[in-house]
Amino acid sequence: MKKLSIAMMVLAVAAVACTDAPNADQAATAEKQEAAAATGASFAIDTTNSVVEWLGTKPIGQHNGIMKIANGIFSVENGTITAGNFTIDVNTLTDLDLTTETGKEKLEGHLKSPDFFDVAKFPTAKFEITSVEPISNDSLATHKISGNLTLKDSTKNVSFPAKLTIAENAVKAEANFNIDRTQWGLHYGNDKSLGDKFIRPEVNIKLNISANKS
């Protein structure tokens, strides 16, 4: 009976330790498309109050952090975004769940290495809007945004739901979605035979972007 109890405890701990893939909408991925034509007023992205959040998981844990936006602009007409783009400074990639003692710098260095983003060659990533379509009957999103996402030397078009808040002099865009990093050639750790060292291909991205009328 005692052995059975110990076994059940081990199974319970294992179940808690197992981390699922990020819970969010999966972005649809397609080939690169033509950028949307800019019409309407220009809104410059407020890089101080805008951020890209990321989260990656593996069977026994997860890591999350941020990257800063270097610059960007939205075009707004008739109460919606018509076009725009922003550049992400991948050198600012920061992990938020570790400390120096638990490997923060080691993880950040690995993510910036050729195994992942290779920031020495590709210091920035870019997103360029190709279309914005309204969504109805969705409590969390107002529009579907599609755009060309460039990571390293690969560009794919991604579509995801977003919440847009448009005011006379300010714009806020919020989104929460998953991408499959292997679509951009980021294959490191993507072999399930690695067991506990396996890193899921799904990466969760959250966009919190504010912009002000130029």
Side-chain angles (χ1 to χ4, degrees):
M1 188 72 177
K2 184 176 181 181
K3 289 183 178 180
L4 179 60
S5 297
I6 293 174
M8 292 178 67
M9 288 176 62
V10 170
L11 288 173
V13 170
V16 172
C18 182
T19 304
D20 293 329
N23 184 22
D25 289 302
Q26 185 70 30
T29 306
E31 294 304 310
K32 179 180 178 180
Q33 299 177 20
E34 184 176 353
T39 59
S42 295
F43 287 68
I45 290 178
D46 181 353
T47 57
T48 302
N49 294 305
S50 300
V51 69
V52 177
E53 301 179 44
W54 56 266
L55 184 148
T57 63
K58 51 188 177 180
I60 58 170
Q62 66 181 43
H63 295 295
N64 68 284
I66 60 172
M67 289 185 284
K68 295 181 180 180
I69 294 176
N71 56 69
I73 193 168
F74 289 141
S75 296
V76 177
E77 187 174 48
N78 297 326
T80 191
I81 293 175
T82 60
N85 63 78
F86 57 86
T87 299
I88 302 167
D89 183 356
V90 187
N91 273 303
T92 65
L93 184 150
T94 304
D95 172 84
L96 297 179
D97 63 279
L98 297 174
T99 64
T100 298
E101 292 74 19
T102 57
K104 173 182 170 69
E105 284 80 7
K106 182 179 179 181
L107 174 62
E108 291 172 351
H110 192 199
L111 291 175
K112 294 176 184 179
S113 77
D115 285 342
F116 288 97
F117 289 106
D118 198 2
V119 297
K121 290 184 179 179
F122 309 101
T124 62
K126 186 173 183 179
F127 183 77
E128 184 177 43
I129 293 174
T130 57
S131 68
V132 179
E133 302 173 13
I135 294 176
S136 58
N137 301 320
D138 191 320
S139 61
L140 299 178
T142 61
H143 292 77
K144 182 180 79 170
I145 296 180
S146 299
N148 297 321
L149 175 62
T150 300
L151 299 175
K152 298 177 71 172
D153 58 352
S154 180
T155 300
K156 296 288 183 179
N157 192 269
V158 294
S159 299
F160 53 85
K163 180 180 179 181
L164 303 183
T165 305
I166 312 292
E168 183 178 354
N169 295 309
V171 171
K172 188 169 182 63
E174 303 169 272
N176 178 10
F177 58 94
N178 294 338
I179 61 171
D180 179 348
R181 61 186 171 90
T182 63
Q183 296 289 311
W184 287 264
L186 301 173
H187 294 284
Y188 184 88
N190 191 45
D191 185 347
K192 289 186 177 181
S193 68
L194 294 171
D196 289 349
K197 294 183 179 180
F198 167 66
I199 303 171
R200 289 190 176 89
E202 299 88 358
V203 177
N204 180 247
I205 302 293
K206 290 182 181 179
L207 301 178
N208 292 283
I209 303 176
S210 297
N212 300 311
K213 195 170 185 178
S214 302

